[in-house]
Amino acid sequence: MQSRIEQICSDKGLKMTDQRRIIAQVLSGSVDHPDVDLVYRRATELDPKISIATVYRTLRLFEEANILEKHDFGDGRARYEEASGDHHDHLINIKNGEVIEFYNRELEAMKKQIAKDLGFELVDHRLELYATPSVSKEASDEDDESFQK
Amino acid sequence: MQSRIEQICSDKGLKMTDQRRIIAQVLSGSVDHPDVDLVYRRATELDPKISIATVYRTLRLFEEANILEKHDFGDGRARYEEASGDHHDHLINIKNGEVIEFYNRELEAMKKQIAKDLGFELVDHRLELYATPSVSKEASDEDDESFQK
DNA sequence: TTATGTGCAAAGAGTTTGCCAGCTA
DNA sequence: TAGCTGGCAAACTCTTTGCACATAA
């Protein structure tokens, strides 16, 4: 049986190689928003000889085919998630880099209206909320220094 | 006479060198959102021997002193504008890269509420609308809360 | 005078690409 | 088989940094 991503690839006439299959599998199995290096590391667990260049090329290919969405959360590297079709925004927990997805219909309508009022037609948009957990968790304050907004 | 930026620098005990004065002047005189290279080019018109490293260092210094705001509109380079104190969002005209600032009170309140509902406290946020000019461009500056600065 | 700032070039981080062997359709 | 694809390393873009000299306060 073919995965959704494999299906799309064959629909678009793309060759389905082992590497592409692996990268597709990594993304389908990721609930977080991995960056390129993380995708690479997960892919090499399945095939140790896959190259970082292939990961970059495949991610770009998938993004152009609307299989993946590329995000930039301001830390200088691209992060990916499987395109779900429905739009959503992101809240980034600045304590640990965790990304939470949310959707608010009223907010979406407002974006469109604002663009219209300014004399534009909305093509794309992005909203990111950078926030800290409300409940004070002093112990975890220093937890993760690896994520810098 | 001292510019606003020079005033802030001396308040913070920073040395006011010719280079910093020039870079401050370039930013004060920019109504757009120049990237580093553009700031550099505008600065070299005033002093041809200024270095790109100084531009990077000074922009970072000014940003850390809250004199400037740094933005990332998704094209891989940082863009700057003089900090105005009041928050606003950006609409990017994808036809020509022009950036329009806007503010909508209702929208700001909604951002805060959404973070709160998710159990977070909003620290920072950014909203960018990527849009194309409407075909029929009737001026619609009615009494909604969106305004162009 | 002396802590800071500057210019230059080299180094870094993330990403892309040229070349050619290898594999898919 | 004919092209497209992948691996490798080199190249690129944007940004930062080490070092020696210059300079604001």
Side-chain angles (χ1 to χ4, degrees):
Chain A
M1 164 222 140
Q2 278 193 139
S3 74
R4 191 187 79 91
I5 294 181
E6 284 187 55
Q7 182 63 57
I8 297 173
C9 285
S10 61
D11 287 354
K12 303 210 178 208
L14 298 171
K15 288 184 181 171
M16 188 43 65
T17 63
D18 289 346
Q19 294 89 333
R20 288 180 184 178
R21 235 183 296 270
I22 286 171
I23 293 168
Q25 191 180 330
V26 165
L27 267 295
S28 289
S30 295
V31 292
D32 50 356
H33 298 63
D35 62 23
V36 177
D37 189 60
L38 193 47
V39 173
Y40 173 60
R41 280 183 282 144
R42 288 177 184 168
T44 47
E45 283 174 19
L46 302 174
D47 173 4
K49 60 192 183 313
I50 204 163
S51 113
I52 187 78
T54 296
V55 174
Y56 271 104
R57 275 192 278 235
T58 303
L59 288 175
R60 188 164 53 161
L61 185 79
F62 285 178
E63 190 213 342
E64 285 167 356
N66 294 311
I67 293 169
L68 300 178
E69 278 174 20
K70 183 181 186 176
H71 297 292
D72 163 19
F73 294 144
D75 56 0
R77 6 177 206 177
R79 297 173 66 170
Y80 291 85
E81 70 176 309
E82 194 168 355
S84 54
D86 60 324
H87 172 80
H88 57 254
D89 295 308
H90 296 96
L91 182 149
I92 295 96
N93 180 344
I94 60 176
K95 290 294 183 205
N96 60 14
E98 179 197 13
V99 177
I100 293 168
E101 301 179 352
F102 67 89
Y103 175 82
N104 184 299
R105 191 190 322 183
E106 214 182 325
L107 189 67
E108 298 307 315
M110 205 172 292
K111 291 178 187 173
K112 199 173 289 186
Q113 186 61 45
I114 289 169
K116 193 178 167 195
D117 289 346
L118 291 171
F120 286 82
E121 198 157 328
L122 202 53
V123 171
D124 197 8
H125 46 170
R126 73 175 178 192
L127 169 63
E128 283 141 31
L129 304 180
Y130 297 89
T132 50
S134 296
V135 192
S136 52
K137 300 189 234 166
E138 307 301 331
S140 63
D141 272 8
E142 309 283 321
D143 266 3
D144 193 339
E145 302 281 300
S146 64
F147 182 84
Q148 306 285 345
K149 190 228 156 224
Chain B
M1 157 221 139
Q2 275 195 145
S3 74
R4 191 187 78 91
I5 293 180
E6 283 187 55
Q7 183 62 58
I8 296 173
C9 285
S10 62
D11 286 355
K12 303 211 177 206
L14 299 171
K15 287 185 182 173
M16 187 43 65
T17 62
D18 290 345
Q19 294 88 335
R20 289 180 181 176
R21 235 183 297 271
I22 286 171
I23 293 167
Q25 191 180 331
V26 165
L27 266 296
S28 289
S30 294
V31 293
D32 50 356
H33 298 64
D35 61 23
V36 177
D37 188 60
L38 193 48
V39 173
Y40 173 59
R41 280 183 281 143
R42 287 177 184 167
T44 47
E45 283 173 19
L46 302 173
D47 172 4
K49 60 194 183 310
I50 205 164
S51 110
I52 188 77
T54 296
V55 174
Y56 271 104
R57 277 191 278 234
T58 303
L59 289 175
R60 187 164 54 162
L61 185 80
F62 286 178
E63 190 211 343
E64 285 167 356
N66 294 311
I67 294 169
L68 300 178
E69 278 174 21
K70 182 180 186 175
H71 298 292
D72 163 19
F73 294 144
D75 55 1
R77 54 211 146 141
R79 297 173 66 169
Y80 292 86
E81 70 176 309
E82 194 168 355
S84 55
D86 59 326
H87 172 80
H88 57 254
D89 296 308
H90 296 96
L91 181 148
I92 296 96
N93 179 345
I94 59 177
K95 289 293 181 206
N96 60 13
E98 179 196 14
V99 177
I100 293 168
E101 302 178 349
F102 67 89
Y103 175 82
N104 184 298
R105 191 192 325 179
E106 215 182 322
L107 188 67
E108 299 306 315
M110 205 172 292
K111 290 177 187 174
K112 199 173 288 183
Q113 187 60 46
I114 288 170
K116 194 178 167 194
D117 290 346
L118 292 171
F120 286 82
E121 197 156 329
L122 201 54
V123 171
D124 196 8
H125 47 171
R126 74 175 177 191
L127 169 63
E128 283 141 31
L129 304 179
Y130 297 88
T132 50
S134 299
V135 192
S136 53
K137 244 198 147 185
E138 64 250 302
S140 59
D141 33 340
E142 4 255 64
D143 53 319
D144 64 84
E145 293 190 37
S146 303
F147 65 87
Q148 184 176 341
K149 294 206 255 182

